[in-house]
Amino acid sequence: MATVTPRRDDIEAAASIEAPAADHETVPAQRAGALAAFRSRPFLLFWATLAPSLTGVWVRITAQGYLVYDLTRDEFILGLVSFCHAAPVLLASPLAGAVLDRVDRRRVLQGVQATQATATFVMAVLIVTGRIEIWHLLVLSSIV
């Protein structure tokens, strides 16, 4: 592998470039801190919707794990349901990335959200009616 050695003219030209002077009177200094991003309205809205959404996902995953173990008392099945939850992400990511570069992401997100909501509703109905079986959880966890 060949290394590139800078020429003397390039070094002198770079050294002669002056940095622009900071004009402290016209540009107010903003304090940077741990919560500085929350001054941005789009970020605040993003965070305010993401936090409850992720909390709901974590609660569903935890409750689903308890349900699987309560139904089977089998650690392998518990791991299999968790694998079914993660497998679509692992398998579909390369294809999904290529597809999302070519389609309207908003419509894809709406479709994904509608599919997940439907699968969650079906799971809830099966649980409430007492008809839930392990194969239901395997299939629905791969969708949700």
Side-chain angles (χ1 to χ4, degrees):
M1 178 166 153
T3 59
V4 177
T5 306
R7 296 182 310 175
R8 182 183 229 34
D9 295 339
D10 293 336
I11 295 172
E12 290 173 0
S16 67
I17 297 174
E18 294 182 20
D23 188 3
H24 296 289
E25 296 176 1
T26 59
V27 179
Q30 290 189 357
R31 286 183 35 160
L35 303 176
F38 287 101
R39 286 190 224 122
S40 166
R41 181 169 167 77
F43 179 79
L44 183 62
L45 291 173
F46 170 73
W47 190 88
T49 56
L50 185 66
S53 175
L54 287 177
T55 302
V57 169
W58 296 328
V59 168
R60 184 193 51 79
I61 290 170
T62 303
Q64 184 176 322
Y66 276 105
L67 176 63
V68 169
Y69 193 74
D70 189 43
L71 290 173
T72 65
R73 300 281 185 219
D74 187 356
E75 295 88 2
F76 177 77
I77 299 296
L78 179 61
L80 187 61
V81 170
S82 296
F83 174 77
C84 285
H85 180 73
V89 174
L90 178 68
L91 299 174
S93 291
L95 178 63
V99 169
L100 286 175
D101 288 339
R102 294 173 177 82
V103 298
D104 182 18
R105 292 183 185 122
R106 185 178 196 158
R107 293 210 186 251
V108 171
L109 185 58
Q110 289 170 344
V112 167
Q113 292 293 324
T115 303
Q116 288 182 334
T118 303
T120 302
F121 179 74
V122 168
M123 188 183 303
V125 168
L126 289 170
I127 292 169
V128 169
T129 60
R131 296 179 180 217
I132 193 77
E133 295 180 21
I134 292 303
W135 73 270
H136 293 135
L137 291 170
L138 290 168
V139 171
L140 292 171
S141 67
S142 67
I143 295 171
V144 177

